[in-house]
Amino acid sequence: MARRTAPRVKPSLYISVDVEADGPIPGPYSMISFGAAVAGRQDADGYEPADPQARTFYRELRPISEDFVPEALAVSGLDRDRLIAEGSEPVDAMAEFGAWVREVSTGAQPVMCGYPASYDWTFLYWYLIRFTCASPFGHSGCFDMKTLYATKARLPLRAVAKGTMPPELHSKRRHTHHGLDDAIEQAELFNNLMAWPGR
């Protein structure tokens, strides 16, 4: 009887994404900017980190709604009137982003990673489907760094905050609430978490 060989698993390319939005959910509120940085690649032989500054993407978007939460808008420091006048049209920005993801992930399956991924993924996936009718990540290609740390640290998820992490896991970069800055910072955190043996 012929012996079965294990199916070849396609590598994963992890892309750190950070979203800035003017409210809690997409649709009634708008994603006003987002940044992405390639963090690294994983295959059957292990994880290989990338230089997060080497392959990046950033756009500021025209709002899709008149509604916004002033406190949420203030976090990003972006000027809403300027975005209305000068921001990229979401349909163009999301098409460009989808093309960029497909280009950088040639030969691999792209996976969005974030801290926490839930908020950023909600906006990113909604915008991709709403404006391009497709997601290069599929419907579930996201990875939550908070969960990764909780698992490796053997902690309940609700006990986890960045301040509870060992200092050596943190990026040396400041968290600025600029989409690209924070995507790069989070990519460095992801690389450190992937290398960390845990507790």
Side-chain angles (χ1 to χ4, degrees):
M1 186 173 182
R3 187 175 178 180
R4 287 186 181 178
T5 56
R8 292 192 63 181
V9 177
K10 204 169 186 183
S12 291
L13 186 85
Y14 295 99
I15 299 173
S16 169
V17 177
D18 184 79
V19 164
E20 300 298 327
D22 64 11
I25 57 171
Y29 304 101
S30 305
M31 179 166 71
I32 51 177
S33 74
F34 71 106
V38 173
R41 182 183 175 104
Q42 185 179 30
D43 59 20
D45 295 324
Y47 180 74
E48 182 179 347
D51 173 2
Q53 297 182 91
R55 291 179 289 175
T56 63
F57 185 95
Y58 178 72
R59 290 292 183 278
E60 294 179 357
L61 307 178
R62 181 171 295 166
I64 61 171
S65 164
E66 293 181 2
D67 295 330
F68 66 96
V69 177
E71 295 82 3
L73 178 64
V75 169
S76 69
L78 293 171
D79 183 287
R80 187 175 169 86
D81 290 336
R82 184 183 65 78
L83 293 175
I84 290 170
E86 301 174 5
S88 297
E89 290 292 346
V91 66
D92 297 329
M94 301 322 291
E96 290 162 4
F97 177 64
W100 177 84
V101 170
R102 287 187 286 274
E103 178 186 341
V104 298
S105 62
T106 300
Q109 292 179 312
V111 177
M112 175 271 187
C113 58
Y115 187 100
S118 52
Y119 180 81
D120 302 88
W121 175 255
T122 299
F123 275 91
L124 187 70
Y125 183 72
W126 190 94
Y127 264 70
L128 283 165
I129 298 301
R130 171 67 180 81
F131 293 107
T132 71
C133 299
S135 166
F137 303 103
H139 68 276
S140 62
C142 64
F143 195 141
D144 180 36
M145 296 182 209
K146 191 171 184 177
T147 303
L148 175 61
Y149 175 74
T151 303
K152 286 193 165 191
R154 302 186 181 191
L155 289 171
L157 185 65
R158 290 294 194 175
V160 171
K162 283 187 180 176
T164 68
M165 294 181 176
E168 64 269 20
L169 292 179
H170 290 240
S171 168
K172 301 291 190 285
R173 299 172 186 275
R174 287 176 50 244
H175 195 80
T176 65
H177 293 289
H178 180 282
L180 184 54
D181 289 349
D182 291 354
I184 293 170
E185 179 224 356
Q186 289 181 169
E188 292 180 347
L189 172 63
F190 184 77
N191 288 339
N192 293 339
L193 282 168
M194 291 295 276
W196 188 51
R199 291 178 177 161

